[in-house]
Amino acid sequence: MDTYDFKNIESKWKKVWDETQLYRTDLTDAGKKLYCLVMFIYPSGDRLHIGHWYNYGPTDTWARFKKMQGYNVFEPIGYDAFGLPAENYAIKKGVHPAISTEANIQAIRNQLKEIGAMYDWSKEINTSDPEYYKWTQWLFLHLYKKGLAYKKEAPVNWCPSCKTVLANEQVVDGKCERCDTEVIQKDLEQWFFKITDYAEQLLEGLGRIEWPEKTVTMQRNWIGKSEGAWIKFKLDEHEEEIEVFTTRPDTLWGVTYMVLAPEHNLVKKITKPEYA
Ligand SMILES: [Zn+2]
């Protein structure tokens, strides 16, 4: 027979891999350790598509190569299972999201086993599992106690019909992608992490990783470290002041006018009735 009988050969060996737990990683082995982390899957649909293969195939090939070179490779897999897409899917199917997400994970897990990647299934995680998110909650509380998680009002995209905050990607032509309602800007209390306290460390760390320059630049912009001064401008006829951040306080002598963003909280307070 000159054709590759993949149905029989692959199912036979996958069964053996499963039974012998071939890809179970001994994390206590302190030898040549290699951690190969891929982006976890969003189980917001009931199956993976070919784009996932483009993502997971080459990474697994590389991890195998490293294993053959004698590395103790840990390649975990999991599901990033909370979020609006998962909710939308549940609404579309008319079932509870916990049920649809679990069913999607089941189907996706079978597909992932089909590609024969060397994931350590004994360490699979699901972010919507209380056994997992108790740790995100634990971490959050630590950040909160240290003053690194705080609340502040910020403008968000709000769908009045879904009564939910939308990411920019979920706003299509100014409308909610789920229900087509006009999206409004609304000031809501949001949680923030004070990453600015770590700007210096984050920037320093960027110098020690091999990433494409484009990605490093994106990270640097996201860290957003900027040195300058906060300056307060007094207003005529008002108690409030306009606070401005500038990296060039020495150029303030040239200021001829100031512009407030439409969502700035002072706009409503200081606009004269004839201009409102
Ligand atoms: Zn909506």
Side-chain angles (χ1 to χ4, degrees):
M1 191 178 71
D2 54 6
T3 53
Y4 169 52
D5 182 11
F6 66 90
K7 271 197 175 155
N8 285 318
I9 296 171
E10 294 194 6
S11 59
K12 174 189 163 188
W13 286 106
K14 271 177 221 153
K15 200 160 161 269
V16 175
W17 295 351
D18 233 24
E19 282 167 5
T20 58
Q21 301 205 22
L22 185 63
Y23 298 122
R24 189 174 185 136
T25 316
D26 177 8
L27 296 178
T28 62
D29 177 0
K32 286 167 84 179
K33 284 196 251 186
L34 195 132
Y35 181 38
C36 182
L37 178 68
V38 290
M39 184 171 68
F40 289 162
I41 294 145
Y42 302 109
S44 54
D46 59 357
R47 57 185 56 98
L48 301 174
H49 53 74
I50 193 69
H52 288 102
W53 264 231
Y54 287 141
N55 185 46
Y56 298 121
T59 337
D60 183 64
T61 307
W62 182 78
R64 267 174 199 282
F65 173 62
K66 297 314 269 185
K67 194 180 173 79
M68 286 172 185
Q69 285 183 328
Y71 283 87
N72 178 28
V73 179
F74 176 42
E75 199 178 6
I77 195 71
Y79 314 94
D80 193 353
F82 275 131
L84 201 59
E87 243 178 68
N88 281 344
Y89 179 86
I91 291 170
K92 203 169 84 190
K93 297 281 168 181
V95 288
H96 192 282
I99 296 164
S100 60
T101 300
E102 192 46 52
N104 290 350
I105 286 177
Q106 190 62 48
I108 288 169
R109 186 188 292 118
N110 289 340
Q111 282 186 297
L112 284 170
K113 289 196 171 177
E114 282 293 301
I115 72 173
M118 41 181 246
Y119 300 129
D120 182 349
W121 292 101
S122 71
K123 297 173 186 73
E124 180 193 43
I125 59 145
N126 167 6
T127 60
S128 66
D129 179 353
E131 275 304 303
Y132 176 86
Y133 65 70
K134 71 176 183 189
W135 293 112
T136 31
Q137 290 172 336
W138 177 86
L139 191 62
F140 179 85
L141 287 175
H142 279 278
L143 292 167
Y144 180 70
K145 282 179 202 154
K146 291 272 178 192
L148 294 167
Y150 62 98
K151 264 182 158 179
K152 160 178 108 169
E153 279 218 337
V156 292
N157 300 315
W158 178 260
C159 173
S161 156
C162 298
K163 293 187 175 43
T164 187
V165 174
L166 302 174
N168 288 339
E169 298 75 35
Q170 290 157 341
V171 181
V172 181
D173 294 330
K175 295 191 172 110
C176 169
E177 67 160 11
R178 183 198 273 175
C179 72
D180 242 11
T181 304
E182 196 86 31
V183 172
I184 58 164
Q185 292 285 310
K186 186 176 175 174
D187 276 329
L188 271 189
E189 280 220 313
Q190 304 282 303
W191 282 103
F192 290 89
F193 292 119
K194 216 169 157 196
I195 66 154
T196 43
D197 277 14
Y198 294 88
E200 212 52 64
Q201 277 162 273
L202 289 166
L203 287 169
E204 192 266 320
L206 279 179
R208 282 183 280 122
I209 42 180
E210 287 175 43
W211 277 357
E213 194 43 48
K214 197 177 81 179
T215 316
V216 172
T217 306
M218 275 163 61
Q219 290 290 315
R220 203 175 286 128
N221 293 341
W222 177 74
I223 296 164
K225 189 196 161 194
S226 188
E227 274 177 29
W230 286 97
I231 290 172
K232 286 175 179 166
F233 285 86
K234 284 197 161 46
L235 287 166
D236 279 350
E237 304 162 34
H238 286 277
E239 285 291 296
E240 274 107 340
E241 293 166 318
I242 299 178
E243 203 177 18
V244 177
F245 178 80
T246 176
T247 55
R248 294 291 307 275
D250 55 317
T251 62
L252 285 180
W253 311 107
V255 172
T256 50
Y257 65 95
M258 300 183 88
V259 179
L260 292 178
E263 60 270 27
H264 196 287
N265 60 7
L266 278 178
V267 171
K268 278 201 182 101
K269 290 180 195 162
I270 66 173
T271 305
K272 291 186 171 162
E274 58 265 42
Y275 298 109

